[in-house]
Amino acid sequence: MAKNLLIVESPAKAKTIEGYLGKDFTVKSSYGHIRDLVKSEDAIDINNNFQQKYEVPADKKQVVSELKKLAKEADMVWLASDEDREGEAISWHLYETLGLKEPATRRIVFHEITKPAIMRAIENPRKIDYNLVNAQQARRVLDRLVGFELSPVLWKKVKPSLSAGRVQSVAVRLIVEREREINKFKSEAAYKIVAIFDKGRNAFKAELPERFAKQEDAEKFLQDCANAAFNVNSLDTRPTKRSPAAPFTTSTLQQEASRKLGFSVARTMQVAQRLYESGYITYMRTDSVNLSDTALNAAEKEITSAYGDKYHQLRKYKTKNASAQEAHEAIRPTYFNNHTIDGESSEKRLYELIWKRAIASQMSEAQFEKTVARIGISTRKEELVANGEVMKFDGFLKVYLESNDDDDDNQNAEGDNAILPPLAKGQSLELQELSATERFSRPPARYTEASLVKKLEELGIGRPSTYAPTISTIQNRGYVVKEEREGRQRNYQVLTLRNGNINKETKTENTGAEKGKLFPTDIGAVVNDFLVQHFNGIVDFNFTASVEKQFDEIAQGLKDWTKMIRTFYDPFHKDVESTIKTADKATGERELGVHPENGKKVSVRIGRFGPFVQVGENATDEKDEKPLYASLRTGQSIETITLEDALELFKLPKAVGEFEGKVMKVAIGRFGPYISHNGAFVSLPKEIDPLDVTEEQAIQLIEDKRKKDAEKLIKTFDEDPDVKVLNGRWGPYIEFGKLNVKIPKDKDPKSLTYEECKALADATPATPKKGRFGKAAPAKATAKAPAKKKK
């Protein structure tokens, strides 16, 4: 047995490191956390300094058992979990759970998985940093208290099965408030003036800095220019420079991978984790832009070798965030001479992005010559402005150009030129055409995952390790959806002066189209409003940021974590008790008006199964007429739906024709619009409006569903119609009542007998069902045959 046991978080990392350390070391993985707070309400003892009760989950018991055995046999145990607070807490959990002793335990950290870094860590061990552990404990305890106390309030006052969280609720608030800003926004039109001048073979553009609010003013300007002379009033040429961006932090990597590669925040972190564990990049959870001297020297060597001395410029970046840990490094390639790697496409693309950003940060500035020409109009006092830019030296742009969230907005660049032709002051210019184009002001942009991360970071909310799980959580819990919206057609006017004549033209553009943007759901908005009203401190941006600062102070040993939690908890708990007693139920109800035919009130609100419209009042007596209900359709919201939209919903269900002597009806159910026919139900595709479904479309959809079902069914049995052999997403399987049974590879699905299916089902353990707090129930040893239906 090896004298040393080294424990890391992931098996991929373990395999890489074991190759560096040799036969004296056994390297094993803890597979992340090995224990967590129990799922019951006694997990945290409020009256005993917030003492925690932990348990080893069922899926980690075998791992813990093996690690305990190896730890007893080893002379020294090395705890090598990640270098952040969560990693420190994992080391502490290992120390406690495995029953380790301080003289035979070492804590090591490294920022990259290379042999020199691992050996350096082994030579410089330390003890567990309990300040970091306490900071992580404080975060875990605070988040558990908030979740456990707030969630039951939401169940009672809003809707069952909801949840709340300290950081997630703030993220939802940002998205809800942005959506309301957009809904309230009134777009204003103005006319943008752009001129095109002839200059020999070169035409160039110039723009009027001002815009005209009225079409008649824009038209008057064009008329005045019909016989005007245009001359260059002034020329200003000056050198300009552009500097590279700092190397990646967790936040900036997530933002840039979203813009350039189209990755979600969660996917970016998954791919980065694999790159780190394979030894390709440094640690991917960091808020530092610092590079080590070793990295700076390696970058210089690679730049001068690949591009020449003039492309290198040493830079040392400083993090603006006061709480950033400068001892850590930015995300960078482990070896700068590896311009690319072997691996999956996503891994190669993300690695190359990291390599380019890091190498560009140590390259020379790009140098340009910018020219601004001001052009006078003989009949007007205004001046047109032409901008031109010529690159004199590419510098870091040879490798990398940073993107931004507005890269798709090119409207403001219509008057810019890549290069201006030779011009001289006083020179006369010939106008080719002059246009006035109607442009509309835009509302604030909806958040993408990347821009939400940027906003959270700006507000000081969350840390590198929390951005991805926060964004995943608010989507998984149904408070926010990431989706595309088609937009709508909008007309705009274009006036063009050419050869002394003004031509008026109406053009069409698509506006409001969205791709990969975050939208709040109705339930997300109602929960947000309830929390803002009754627990404003929890969703207050400044409060949430101040909590993060207090975690930082705990990590530095400047604050006692239990006192910090106590200061928060006591008033919070009083608010919880008061709200349960006094708060009204929140439904987001909004009155839309009265029904034009029967005069009954039409309203919209959140119900148990989602948002719905109601016509009439709730019945108070059995004799009262019951109200009518209709679910909202996809894309509709209780905050924006109009009376007209609501009344349209009551046109369903409606008959759309007959098929095989049975009526086909279109309706909207809990899971969206569908066609019902002869007891069967067929979902409508998104692109088909339920109000516009034709008889032919309905028949086609029914026949397509029958064909698909027929292809899915391989075999049934006379002994029991509830037992079927089916084609599934991952191949053939047996549906034995409520149990799905895998078919062995050596068995032909078509030739299976009922007895064989029953034997396979009996040998398949039932899938454990999770209880209220996620605890797995004991698995049944065998599966019972499904009860036969009574004839």
Side-chain angles (χ1 to χ4, degrees):
M1 178 63 205
K3 296 178 182 178
N4 297 280
L5 171 65
L6 189 142
I7 305 173
V8 294
E9 288 185 34
S10 75
K13 198 189 297 184
K15 188 177 179 182
T16 307
I17 293 172
E18 197 163 42
Y20 296 145
L21 292 175
K23 59 182 174 46
D24 288 340
F25 278 81
T26 296
V27 183
K28 291 292 179 181
S29 166
S30 70
Y31 295 86
H33 288 275
I34 57 157
R35 69 176 187 175
D36 196 5
L37 292 169
V38 297
K39 303 295 182 185
S40 55
E41 292 181 6
D42 63 345
I44 298 162
D45 189 344
I46 306 296
N47 300 316
N48 189 19
N49 252 2
F50 302 101
Q51 285 292 312
Q52 305 105 56
K53 188 186 288 187
Y54 288 99
E55 65 178 354
V56 177
D59 61 342
K60 288 296 177 73
K61 285 185 176 174
Q62 189 175 340
V63 173
V64 169
S65 177
E66 183 190 6
L67 291 176
K68 273 185 178 176
K69 180 175 178 292
L70 293 171
K72 283 180 181 177
E73 296 171 355
D75 295 337
M76 183 66 68
V77 178
W78 303 78
L79 302 175
S81 51
D82 291 343
E83 63 173 337
D84 56 10
R85 291 175 199 167
E86 195 168 358
E88 203 71 24
I90 288 173
S91 280
W92 174 69
H93 285 304
L94 285 164
Y95 183 86
E96 295 280 320
T97 309
L98 302 183
L100 304 180
K101 303 298 180 187
E102 194 171 296
T105 306
R106 298 284 185 272
R107 168 76 170 121
I108 62 170
V109 294
F110 37 83
H111 188 65
E112 61 189 38
I113 303 177
T114 61
K115 188 169 185 178
I118 303 301
M119 301 313 294
R120 199 159 50 243
I122 294 287
E123 291 164 9
N124 297 281
R126 61 170 173 80
K127 295 179 181 179
I128 291 172
D129 186 335
Y130 283 92
N131 289 331
L132 293 180
V133 173
N134 289 339
Q136 183 62 25
Q137 293 272 83
R139 179 187 292 278
R140 188 75 185 89
V141 168
L142 185 62
D143 288 347
R144 170 60 73 90
L145 290 173
V146 169
F148 258 56
E149 298 227 355
L150 269 190
S151 296
V153 179
L154 296 179
W155 302 343
K156 291 177 182 177
K157 300 298 181 180
V158 185
K159 186 182 167 205
S161 304
L162 295 177
S163 68
R166 187 179 55 84
V167 177
Q168 75 173 54
S169 297
V170 175
V172 172
R173 181 178 183 179
L174 284 168
I175 293 165
V176 168
E177 290 185 353
R178 177 59 57 87
E179 191 68 21
R180 286 174 179 163
E181 279 185 73
I182 293 167
N183 290 338
K184 288 178 184 174
F185 183 81
K186 302 295 182 187
S187 186
E188 295 179 354
Y191 283 81
K192 179 178 182 177
I193 307 295
V194 176
I196 299 177
F197 291 102
D198 274 331
K199 185 68 174 63
R201 293 182 179 179
N202 299 314
F204 68 94
K205 292 180 180 180
E207 186 179 321
L208 189 70
E210 305 87 23
R211 295 195 180 190
F212 293 108
K214 297 178 180 177
Q215 181 176 327
E216 48 266 36
D217 293 338
E219 189 172 355
K220 177 70 165 60
F221 180 85
L222 265 59
Q223 288 170 348
D224 290 347
C225 292
N227 298 307
F230 298 89
N231 293 282
V232 178
N233 284 351
S234 66
L235 273 173
D236 179 23
T237 301
R238 63 182 188 278
T240 60
K241 296 177 181 178
R242 196 179 301 170
S243 298
F248 282 131
T249 61
T250 304
S251 164
T252 54
L253 175 64
Q254 290 168 348
Q255 292 169 50
E256 195 71 341
S258 173
R259 298 181 196 116
K260 275 192 159 65
L261 308 180
F263 286 6
S264 69
V265 167
R267 187 182 181 196
T268 297
M269 295 312 290
Q270 289 163 2
V271 177
Q273 180 92 31
R274 295 201 296 269
L275 292 175
Y276 169 63
E277 290 172 355
S278 303
Y280 290 129
I281 63 169
T282 53
Y283 192 53
M284 65 288 154
R285 292 190 185 94
T286 177
D287 48 14
S288 171
V289 289
N290 184 46
L291 291 178
S292 67
D293 290 340
T294 304
L296 293 173
N297 293 334
E300 179 181 2
K301 184 178 178 183
E302 187 56 32
I303 291 165
T304 54
S305 168
Y307 308 110
D309 291 343
K310 67 177 181 178
Y311 278 94
H312 176 255
Q313 184 176 333
L314 176 67
R315 284 188 179 81
K316 293 190 177 181
Y317 294 90
K318 286 288 180 184
T319 307
K320 294 176 184 177
N321 184 354
S323 64
Q325 301 172 65
E326 291 292 353
H328 296 173
E329 272 194 273
I331 304 168
R332 62 165 175 85
T334 312
Y335 301 105
F336 279 96
N337 58 333
N338 290 338
H339 292 214
T340 187
I341 58 163
D342 294 326
E344 296 177 7
S345 171
S346 60
E347 293 170 357
K348 291 175 75 171
R349 293 171 70 204
L350 191 65
Y351 175 83
E352 287 166 12
L353 187 67
I354 292 167
W355 183 89
K356 287 176 180 178
R357 175 82 165 219
I359 206 83
S361 75
Q362 298 303 308
M363 292 179 72
S364 306
E365 295 168 326
Q367 297 175 7
F368 299 87
E369 185 178 81
K370 186 174 180 67
T371 302
V372 179
R374 296 188 173 276
I375 300 163
I377 309 165
S378 63
T379 56
R380 302 279 301 200
K381 64 175 191 271
E382 298 95 340
E383 286 183 320
L384 297 165
V385 178
N387 293 298
E389 195 172 64
V390 178
M391 185 188 290
K392 293 295 186 182
F393 176 60
D394 54 0
F396 76 93
L397 292 175
K398 194 173 194 73
V399 173
Y400 177 81
L401 174 62
E402 185 182 18
S403 301
N404 64 63
D405 291 319
D406 300 317
D407 276 355
D408 59 345
D409 180 9
N410 57 13
Q411 285 193 11
N412 294 327
E414 288 178 4
D416 288 352
N417 306 275
I419 186 172
L420 282 175
L423 297 172
K425 186 176 178 180
Q427 182 176 354
S428 177
L429 299 173
E430 184 181 340
L431 180 69
Q432 188 180 90
E433 73 172 42
L434 187 65
S435 64
T437 305
E438 188 178 21
R439 289 295 177 212
F440 297 87
S441 57
R442 295 184 173 194
R446 287 184 176 89
Y447 287 108
T448 61
E449 287 192 1
S451 62
L452 181 60
V453 165
K454 185 179 181 182
K455 185 66 176 177
L456 290 170
E457 186 181 42
E458 286 173 0
L459 293 170
I461 295 167
R463 286 294 179 262
S465 60
T466 65
Y467 299 137
T470 295
I471 289 172
S472 296
T473 298
I474 61 176
Q475 293 179 65
N476 293 339
R477 290 181 175 168
Y479 294 151
V480 170
V481 291
K482 183 170 77 170
E483 61 186 23
E484 298 181 8
R485 298 275 173 96
E486 290 182 355
R488 56 186 175 78
Q489 295 296 307
R490 176 174 65 189
N491 293 334
Y492 67 98
Q493 305 301 315
V494 180
L495 313 178
T496 307
L497 170 67
R498 192 182 291 112
N499 299 324
N501 297 314
I502 295 176
N503 179 52
K504 295 182 183 180
E505 190 178 3
T506 299
K507 293 188 176 182
T508 304
E509 63 183 356
N510 194 41
T511 182
E514 301 281 23
K515 187 174 182 182
K517 295 293 179 69
L518 298 174
F519 296 83
T521 61
D522 284 322
I523 193 65
V526 170
V527 168
N528 172 73
D529 292 348
F530 183 83
L531 293 177
V532 168
Q533 182 180 354
H534 299 286
F535 298 95
N536 191 50
I538 295 295
V539 289
D540 180 76
F541 304 135
N542 293 329
F543 166 78
T544 311
S546 75
V547 167
E548 296 292 352
K549 287 179 184 174
Q550 291 179 71
F551 290 154
D552 294 337
E553 289 169 2
I554 293 166
Q556 295 160 24
L558 302 174
K559 188 182 278 280
D560 180 275
W561 77 270
T562 58
K563 289 180 181 176
M564 177 256 177
I565 299 292
R566 178 64 65 192
T567 303
F568 163 82
Y569 178 75
D570 288 347
F572 167 68
H573 183 66
K574 286 180 182 176
D575 285 346
V576 169
E577 291 181 325
S578 170
T579 303
I580 288 176
K581 290 177 184 175
T582 62
D584 294 329
K585 194 169 177 67
T587 63
E589 183 171 358
R590 191 167 71 91
E591 194 170 321
L592 302 179
V594 294
H595 197 291
E597 294 175 10
N598 56 33
K600 292 180 180 178
K601 185 177 85 170
V602 181
S603 59
V604 61
R605 68 176 185 270
I606 288 283
R608 187 177 177 186
F609 301 113
F612 68 93
V613 174
Q614 176 176 324
V615 176
E617 302 284 358
N618 290 328
T620 56
D621 191 280
E622 287 185 6
K623 297 177 182 178
D624 292 342
E625 187 178 348
K626 291 182 179 179
L628 299 174
Y629 304 102
S631 297
L632 267 63
R633 291 164 56 186
T634 303
Q636 291 182 327
S637 162
I638 61 175
E639 294 197 11
T640 56
I641 190 170
T642 64
L643 177 63
E644 291 72 22
D645 295 333
L647 295 177
E648 284 287 313
L649 298 173
F650 290 93
K651 293 181 178 177
L652 298 175
K654 69 169 185 175
V656 291
E658 287 192 6
F659 178 52
E660 297 175 344
K662 302 284 183 180
V663 174
M664 299 179 292
K665 286 185 178 179
V666 180
I668 294 181
R670 187 178 171 188
F671 303 106
Y674 64 91
I675 296 168
S676 64
H677 173 258
N678 196 24
F681 303 93
V682 182
S683 295
L684 273 181
K686 283 183 179 179
E687 61 270 16
I688 298 181
D689 189 314
L691 291 170
D692 299 333
V693 178
T694 63
E695 185 178 53
E696 292 74 20
Q697 284 176 315
I699 293 170
Q700 186 64 54
L701 288 167
I702 292 167
E703 289 179 336
D704 289 347
K705 177 78 163 50
R706 286 179 179 177
K707 184 181 177 185
K708 189 176 179 182
D709 289 346
E711 290 170 353
K712 182 180 177 182
L713 183 67
I714 297 174
K715 192 171 186 181
T716 57
F717 301 93
D718 293 336
E719 294 91 331
D720 194 331
D722 281 348
V723 178
K724 304 183 185 84
V725 182
L726 303 169
N727 252 322
R729 187 177 174 185
W730 290 283
Y733 69 98
I734 302 163
E735 184 180 275
F736 203 87
K738 293 182 179 180
L739 189 68
N740 290 339
V741 181
K742 191 176 180 181
I743 299 173
K745 289 183 179 178
D746 58 347
K747 298 275 187 184
D748 178 14
K750 293 179 181 176
S751 61
L752 284 170
T753 64
Y754 176 76
E755 287 71 25
E756 286 176 313
C757 289
K758 188 175 187 308
L760 288 169
D762 288 341
T764 302
T767 305
K769 292 184 178 180
K770 291 191 175 182
R772 174 175 161 189
F773 295 110
K775 195 168 183 177
K780 295 176 184 176
T782 57
K784 292 182 180 179
K788 293 185 180 180
K789 293 179 181 176
K790 293 181 181 178
K791 292 184 181 179

